[in-house]
Amino acid sequence: MNPDRNLPQLLADAKHWFDTALAAAMADAGERPITLGQQNVFAHLPPDGATVSDLARWMDVARQSAHQAVHALIGMGLLEQTPDPASARRRIIVMTAEGRRVHRLARTLIARLEDDLGKRLGPPTLTTLRQTLERPWGPAALEAGAARPDMENSTPAPRDATP
């Protein structure tokens, strides 16, 4: 175990493991490759669709990045734009029949990857990991002054006596 690796780095490594394993499994299944940004669209797109602006917000990316990923997936025939019944000026992004098929396959492969991870870590460890990650963490914030390094054992810099 490397003590220099902090929790955000370890979580990123775990996400990378799933992302690369899913991409490889999809390729093995004969599917066309899609980028991580395009995978992110599928991960955030609700069954009834969403606007590009909503997707960008949920994905925590710039609207232009979401737009590029969505339009690439439209070009692949996995997504389509439909009129928003609530507003004539807005378009809703939804999965095509092919997009739903690919999404179902990806979800099946993710379940298999979770099973594989359970065999590697042990089922109780995987259960504990899932339960821990599903718990609400609350807002990210530090207590007042906690963001400053520990100054208790340091000597304050001398002040200039001249006004």
Side-chain angles (χ1 to χ4, degrees):
M1 180 148 89
N2 183 347
D4 294 334
R5 307 277 298 155
N6 61 40
L7 188 55
Q9 291 168 323
L10 295 171
L11 289 169
D13 289 348
K15 174 121 173 44
H16 179 74
W17 183 89
F18 268 102
D19 290 341
T20 56
L22 177 59
M26 293 292 283
D28 288 348
E31 298 298 329
R32 292 176 287 179
I34 63 173
T35 67
L36 290 177
Q38 293 164 350
Q39 285 180 24
N40 202 13
V41 169
F42 274 100
H44 287 89
L45 185 63
D48 57 343
T51 65
V52 172
S53 295
D54 287 337
L55 284 168
R57 188 174 62 255
W58 299 331
M59 293 166 47
D60 196 27
V61 299
R63 187 181 182 288
Q64 181 179 359
S65 296
H67 186 268
Q68 289 173 344
V70 163
H71 282 276
L73 291 166
I74 289 171
M76 295 170 73
L78 301 175
L79 300 179
E80 63 185 348
Q81 292 182 25
T82 63
D84 184 347
S87 170
R89 295 187 309 168
R90 291 182 357 165
R91 310 282 289 167
I92 299 292
I93 306 303
V94 296
M95 289 183 214
T96 62
E98 176 66 1
R100 288 189 299 277
R101 183 196 65 78
V102 169
H103 189 246
R104 279 191 307 274
L105 174 61
R107 290 181 61 85
T108 299
L109 294 173
I110 289 169
R112 289 181 189 165
L113 290 169
E114 285 188 32
D115 288 344
D116 179 56
L117 185 60
K119 291 174 187 165
R120 294 172 188 224
L121 301 178
T125 301
L126 182 63
T127 298
T128 300
L129 175 61
R130 175 176 279 288
Q131 290 170 343
T132 301
L133 293 173
E134 287 176 345
R135 289 178 57 191
W137 292 14
L142 295 174
E143 291 181 25
R148 295 187 56 197
D150 182 14
M151 301 297 281
E152 189 173 307
N153 296 323
S154 65
T155 306
R159 293 182 182 227
D160 188 0
T162 38

